[in-house]
């Protein structure tokens, strides 16, 4: 996994870490009438975090599911583990980008447990830890950090700031941010371009803000009278010898987008996460607080909308600054670029193929170029910046330093007529003709299908659906650059969630529903009789959501989980049937909804999740509007998937950069008027305006056209090819031992999906990825800590046990 930061003081570890890794989340197979992917499989939203809540409150916070970019170091231990040098299990451990640990608690003389820590043999510290500062609040970085990715500034004695990751601020700006944080304005620590995690040590107070999206998470756990914190959950679980939280795993399968079900928990009992838009504050004496640094919209009075032109200019400037921050950092090259020469032409292999065979990325900066609007925008912005955006001089690459490496993946298993694949490739090739781009097309066949090579993947910090597509992404990224841009996150950051239609009704702006409703009706063109009912159906669903109180809406879903009635309707979770786009949007017009894997969970697991929903609705009411809440929750879920993606698909010596998850871009995107967001093709139009403001006006035809059928076809092909292996995986699954599924039911579903039945493929991916993750977690050996006082057993040493039954209400 990757670099980690860690620190602490005399008594209790509080771990800090930088960004982690994630992956492409579940995408709906439906067409998106709004101009993006269909909302049916991915209706998004997020919890309101307007209030400050104390540690220990039930369902007190919606966990930030983040990750970061950049590779980490291989663990010296014998197995996969989250963090350079902290892994255990068979084979070298992956890296956890930007993770770390910290310690805090009582002064040395008052240290209750008497556990030594610091430097030297026998003391408690993370495996592979590099101390950044010492007493009274030591901080460590763990992993193969680049020199420019760890920065430390000091405003005055006792006040220090460490920044992990890619940050576009100067040292003077960091000092000003530290001074502002000293007065309590720690929002300034999140306002710089780039993707990073900041740790501010001000006297005996430690402040670690999580990012807005959840791609740079912060975790914490009580330990030895104080608090341990980190950017990875597994090291903290090892520290406190935590067992699996089976209830959280059930909630992750049943309601992955519902903060009411997930709370601020993690798969490890006792380890919690800081919600996106919040900061962990640890004070002398062991007290801790989770405080919000971002304002929330009221349910009744919305903030006046920003002028459209000003909002578009804000998104453009934020994207340009995020890209510029990556270019301002030193260029990097892998060791093999110096030590191993290209052996020359090989029949059937181009330069990119030979480099991938040697096992490392190209030197310098590159970008994905899928033909979609998000990746194309980043590639064009990066190529258009003044200077030399491409590879590093002296590395032997053609036209080194002059052109940006752009990588396009061509799936040979999918026919070019499927879902516009040919059009997407044509758009990528047209963009790649820019003289400032060096365009490379990577082809993949059966060996790079989803569900391929599941046995050799790394252990990630948490489960995520990208585990089933990791080999596919590694195949593409191996032809990329040492610093590689990806367009992930654009849909959830820029698009409007269907539930925002209810927000428009609350604001009495009914006329803005005309365009999205007309686009949905047009998508039903093959069924004229049904298309006439679309406006009425959508309006009724939006009005019902606008008039439904939050508590009533959540309790209704809880009741559906208990009695199983949600299985009777499709709910929008299909594999891509054209007529389901409207059903998907209607199903998303709720306060929360069951996930695609919920239909295969046992009644006991669903009952446990329903109790979580009811408890959260009763104890933590919200004043947020439904559309805003759902949009934030889905962004956090996708950011968490992105973190798992980075860990699972990691290429050594490569950093992945997803600017759409940067704080600056998320803030600018939230200022976009809702009336603009809900228009058909909103995302493509916003990105077109951003490019026009940066001087790029000529774009290929069909810019921004969605093509989800290609992904669905490849997933189904991979499932069909791996059906026998998957059935074997669920012959005696750990999920069944935990009481979450019945193995026979899942095996039957895998066979049916492989034969072409319209089952929710996203749900099967969730089940397979969690089963894989559990197997890798329990198979590892050792812990993430070293020293004579290190924990005696690793996390989840007790294996998978069903959650204790709660008394009936």
């Amino acid at each position: 996994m990757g670099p980690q930061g860690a620190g602490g003081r005399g008594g209790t570890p509080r771990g800090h870490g930088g960004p982690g890794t994630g992956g492409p989340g579940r995408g709906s197979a439906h067409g998106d009438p709004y101009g993006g992917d269909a909302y049916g499989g991915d209706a998004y939203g997020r919890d309101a975090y307007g209030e400050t809540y104390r540690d220990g409150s039930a369902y007190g916070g919606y966990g930030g599911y983040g990750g970061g970019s950049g590779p980490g170091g291989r663990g010296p231990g014998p197995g996969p583990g989250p963090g350079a040098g902290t892994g255990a299990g068979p084979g070298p451990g992956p890296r956890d980008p930007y993770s770390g640990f910290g310690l805090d608690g009582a002064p040395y003389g008052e240290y209750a447990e008497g556990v030594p820590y610091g430097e030297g043999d026998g003391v408690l510290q993370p495996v592979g830890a590099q101390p950044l500062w010492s007493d009274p609040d030591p901080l460590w970085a763990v992993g193969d950090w680049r020199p420019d990715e760890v920065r430390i500034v000091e405003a005055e004695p006792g006040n220090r700031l460490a920044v992990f990751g890619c940050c576009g601020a100067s040292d003077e700006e960091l000092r000003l941010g530290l001074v502002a944080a000293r007065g309590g304005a720690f929002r300034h620590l999140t306002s710089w371009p780039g993707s990073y995690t900041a740790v501010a040590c001000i006297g005996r107070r430690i402040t670690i803000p999580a990012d807005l999206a959840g791609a740079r998470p912060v975790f914490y756990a009580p330990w030895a009278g104080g608090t341990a914190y980190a950017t990875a959950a597994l090291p903290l679980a090892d520290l406190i010898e935590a067992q699996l939280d089976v209830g959280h795993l059930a909630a992750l399968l049943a309601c992955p987008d519902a903060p009411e079900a997930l709370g601020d928990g993690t798969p490890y009992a006792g380890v919690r996460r800081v919600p996106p838009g919040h900061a962990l504050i640890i004070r002398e004496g062991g007290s801790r607080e989770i405080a919000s640094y971002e304002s929330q919209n009221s349910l009744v009075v919305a903030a006046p909308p920003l002028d459209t032109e000003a909002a578009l200019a804000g998104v453009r400037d934020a994207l340009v600054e995020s890209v510029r921050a990556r270019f301002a950092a030193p260029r990097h090259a892998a060791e093999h670029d110096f030590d191993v020469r290209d052996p020359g032409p090989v029949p059937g292999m181009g330069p990119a193929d030979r480099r991938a065979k040697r096992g490392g990325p190209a030197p310098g900066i590159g970008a994905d170029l899928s033909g979609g609007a998000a990746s194309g925008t980043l590639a064009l912005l990066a190529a258009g910046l003044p200077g030399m955006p491409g590879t590093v001089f002296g590395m032997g690459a053609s036209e080194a330093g002059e052109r940006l490496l752009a990588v396009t993946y061509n799936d040979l298993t999918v026919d070019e007529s499927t879902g516009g694949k040919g059009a997407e490739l044509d758009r990528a090739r047209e963009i790649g003709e820019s003289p400032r781009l060096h365009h490379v097309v990577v082809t993949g066949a059966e060996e790079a299908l989803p569900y391929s090579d599941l046995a050799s993947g790394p252990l990630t910090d948490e489960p995520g659906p990208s585990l089933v597509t990791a080999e596919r992404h590694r195949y593409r990224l191996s032809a990329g650059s040492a610093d590689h841009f990806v367009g992930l996150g654009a849909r959830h950051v820029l698009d409007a969630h269907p539930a925002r239609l209810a927000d428009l009704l609350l604001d009495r702006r009914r006329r803005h529903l005309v365009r999205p409703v007309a686009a949905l009706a047009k998508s039903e063109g093959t069924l004229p009789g049904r298309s006439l009912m679309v406006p009425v159906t959508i309006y009724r669903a939006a009005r019902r959501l606008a008039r439904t109180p939050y508590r009533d809406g959540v309790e209704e879903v809880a009741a559906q989980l208990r009695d199983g009635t949600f299985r009777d309707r499709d709910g929008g979770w299909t594999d891509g049937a054209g007529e389901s786009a409207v059903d998907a949007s209607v199903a998303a017009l709720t306060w929360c909804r069951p996930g695609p894997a919920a239909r295969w969970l046992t009644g006991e697991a669903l009952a446990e999740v329903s109790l979580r929903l009811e408890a959260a609705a009763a104890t933590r009411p919200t004043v947020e509007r439904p559309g805003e809440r759902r949009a934030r929750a889905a962004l956090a879920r996708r950011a968490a998937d992105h973190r798992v993606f980075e860990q699972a698909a990691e290429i050594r010596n490569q950093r992945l950069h997803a600017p759409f998850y940067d704080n600056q871009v998320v803030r600018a995107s939230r200022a976009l008027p809702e009336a603009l967001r809900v228009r058909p093709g909103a995302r493509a139009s916003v990105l077109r305006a951003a490019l026009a403001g940066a001087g790029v006006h000529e774009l290929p035809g069909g810019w921004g056209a969605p093509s989800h059928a290609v992904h669905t076809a490849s997933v189904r092909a991979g499932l069909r090819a791996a059906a026998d292996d998957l059935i074997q995986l669920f012959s005696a699954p750990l999920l069944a031992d935990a009481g979450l599924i019945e193995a026979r039911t899942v095996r039957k579903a895998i066979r049916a999906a492989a034969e072409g039945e319209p089952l929710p493929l996203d749900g099967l991916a969730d089940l397979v990825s969690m089963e894989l993750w559990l197997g890798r977690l329990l198979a590892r050996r050792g812990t993430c800590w070293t020293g004579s006082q290190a924990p005696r057993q690793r996390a989840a040493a007790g294996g998978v046990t069903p959650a204790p039954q709660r008394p009936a209400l």
Side-chain angles (χ1 to χ4, degrees), residues 451-683:
Y451 298 98
S452 62
D453 198 17
L454 296 179
S456 62
L459 171 63
T460 56
D461 195 41
E462 298 180 282
S466 58
L467 291 179
V468 303
T469 58
E471 186 62 27
R472 182 182 184 86
H473 293 295
R474 275 196 297 268
Y475 196 79
R476 181 188 84 252
L477 295 173
S478 62
S481 298
D483 288 276
H484 198 77
F485 286 102
V486 293
L488 300 173
R491 183 161 78 90
H492 291 79
V493 171
L494 297 176
D495 283 3
H497 189 281
R500 287 189 184 272
L501 298 179
D503 293 354
L504 292 176
L505 290 180
L506 289 172
D507 293 339
R508 300 183 182 277
R509 292 187 287 174
R510 295 181 178 85
R511 61 187 179 90
H512 294 299
L513 272 67
V514 174
R515 287 189 178 183
V517 169
L520 283 170
K522 185 177 180 180
S523 70
E524 302 288 328
T526 57
L527 301 172
R530 180 171 176 177
S531 63
L532 294 176
M533 294 299 298
V534 168
V536 176
T537 302
I538 295 296
Y539 182 80
R540 284 178 175 175
R543 186 178 63 176
R544 180 177 182 272
L545 175 58
R547 295 181 175 182
T548 301
Y550 165 74
R551 181 169 179 175
D552 292 348
V554 175
E555 289 180 345
E556 179 182 350
V557 175
Q560 292 175 3
L561 290 177
R562 268 198 308 272
D563 57 31
T565 55
F566 72 95
R567 295 189 179 98
D568 299 335
R569 52 173 84 72
D570 178 71
W573 297 113
T574 67
D575 74 333
E579 68 273 9
S580 61
V582 172
D583 296 335
S585 297
V586 171
L589 285 164
T590 56
W591 278 103
C592 67
R593 62 180 297 199
R599 64 175 63 193
W600 293 299
L601 297 187
T602 62
E604 293 79 3
L606 293 175
E608 172 70 17
V609 177
S610 71
L611 292 176
R612 284 174 170 249
L613 291 174
E614 291 177 340
T619 59
R620 301 202 60 79
T622 181
V623 294
E624 233 182 343
R625 301 189 300 171
E628 182 72 14
R629 182 182 181 87
R630 293 293 308 278
R632 290 175 185 260
L635 173 60
R637 181 66 254 158
R638 183 54 61 95
D641 293 343
H642 174 73
R643 178 172 180 258
V644 177
F645 159 69
E646 285 184 309
Q647 294 174 346
E650 179 223 356
I651 301 294
R652 186 170 179 82
N653 299 314
Q654 184 181 68
R655 299 292 196 266
L656 297 183
H657 301 279
F660 288 104
Y661 287 124
D662 290 1
N663 286 335
Q664 202 175 28
V665 177
V666 173
R667 280 198 181 98
S669 300
R670 288 179 179 175
L672 291 171
E674 288 187 356
L676 172 64
R677 284 178 176 268
V678 299
R679 293 176 186 173
R683 185 197 336 152

Side-chain angles (χ1 to χ4, degrees), residues 52-55 279-283 287-292:
T52 297
Y53 48 88
R54 293 285 177 173
D55 174 68
L280 172 65
I281 302 175
I282 306 173
R283 294 184 174 87
S287 67
R288 60 179 172 267
E289 177 186 359
I290 305 296
S292 172

Side-chain angles (χ1 to χ4, degrees), residues 73-121:
R74 298 287 172 180
T86 62
R95 297 166 286 179
D96 181 8
Y98 310 118
S99 31
F101 313 97
L103 300 175
D104 179 58
Y108 291 105
E110 303 172 7
Y111 190 51
E113 299 295 329
V115 178
Y117 72 96
E119 301 181 51
D121 297 334

Side-chain angles (χ1 to χ4, degrees), residues 13-394:
R14 37 181 190 198
H16 159 71
T21 45
R26 296 171 298 279
S28 169
H30 310 304
D32 177 7
Y34 302 113
D37 296 341
Y39 296 106
D42 203 2
Y44 30 115
R46 175 189 130 171
D47 193 1
Y49 304 113
E51 53 214 305
T52 297
Y53 48 88
R54 293 285 177 173
D55 174 68
S57 59
Y59 308 98
Y62 173 30
Y65 308 84
S69 64
R74 298 287 172 180
T86 62
R95 297 166 286 179
D96 181 8
Y98 310 118
S99 31
F101 313 97
L103 300 175
D104 179 58
Y108 291 105
E110 303 172 7
Y111 190 51
E113 299 295 329
V115 178
Y117 72 96
E119 301 181 51
D121 297 334
V123 297
L124 177 65
Q125 62 180 350
V127 175
Q130 174 189 356
L132 300 181
W133 63 59
S134 56
D135 303 336
D137 290 295
L139 183 73
W140 298 289
V142 183
D144 65 341
W145 288 96
R146 295 171 176 175
D148 56 288
E149 291 176 332
V150 180
R151 301 169 60 189
I152 301 175
V153 298
E154 187 169 354
E156 59 186 45
N159 295 343
R160 294 167 290 194
L161 175 67
V163 179
F164 298 81
C166 178
C167 180
S170 64
D171 287 351
E172 183 59 29
E173 289 173 325
L174 293 181
R175 291 189 182 92
L176 290 176
L178 179 59
V179 172
R182 181 177 58 184
F186 50 86
R187 184 179 185 272
H188 290 275
L189 302 178
T190 68
S191 61
W192 304 306
S195 182
Y196 52 87
T197 298
V199 180
C201 178
I202 303 171
R204 292 304 312 276
R205 186 184 73 199
I206 300 292
T207 302
I208 314 103
D211 67 331
L212 289 174
R216 297 285 181 266
V218 177
F219 302 92
Y220 64 98
W223 185 77
T227 302
Y229 65 89
T231 52
L234 182 55
L236 297 182
D238 278 346
L239 181 67
I240 66 174
E241 301 176 332
Q243 298 303 318
L244 285 171
D245 186 347
V246 177
H248 180 85
L249 297 180
L252 200 57
L253 292 172
C255 296
D257 287 343
E260 298 81 9
L262 298 173
D264 61 353
T266 68
Y268 314 100
V271 179
R272 300 192 175 194
R273 75 187 72 225
V274 177
H278 288 66
L280 172 65
I281 302 175
I282 306 173
R283 294 184 174 87
E284 184 175 6
S287 67
R288 60 179 172 267
E289 177 186 359
I290 305 296
S292 172
Y293 61 79
E294 204 71 8
S295 61
Q296 303 295 325
N297 292 335
S298 170
L299 177 65
V300 180
V301 181
L306 192 65
D307 176 71
T308 300
E309 294 300 322
L312 291 174
V315 174
R316 178 200 64 214
D317 294 343
L319 277 174
V320 171
E321 287 302 315
S322 293
V323 173
R324 196 189 305 275
R326 273 72 176 191
F327 278 90
R331 306 294 170 85
H332 294 274
E335 295 178 359
H336 69 77
D337 290 301
F338 298 95
D339 300 336
V340 181
R341 293 184 178 181
D342 191 328
V346 177
M349 295 180 65
D353 298 321
R354 297 196 299 271
R355 181 177 60 251
K357 191 70 174 178
R358 296 199 306 271
I365 300 178
D368 275 353
L369 185 58
S370 67
S375 63
T377 297
L378 294 179
L380 290 172
L381 286 177
L385 287 178
M388 298 180 179
T391 54
V392 179
F393 281 103

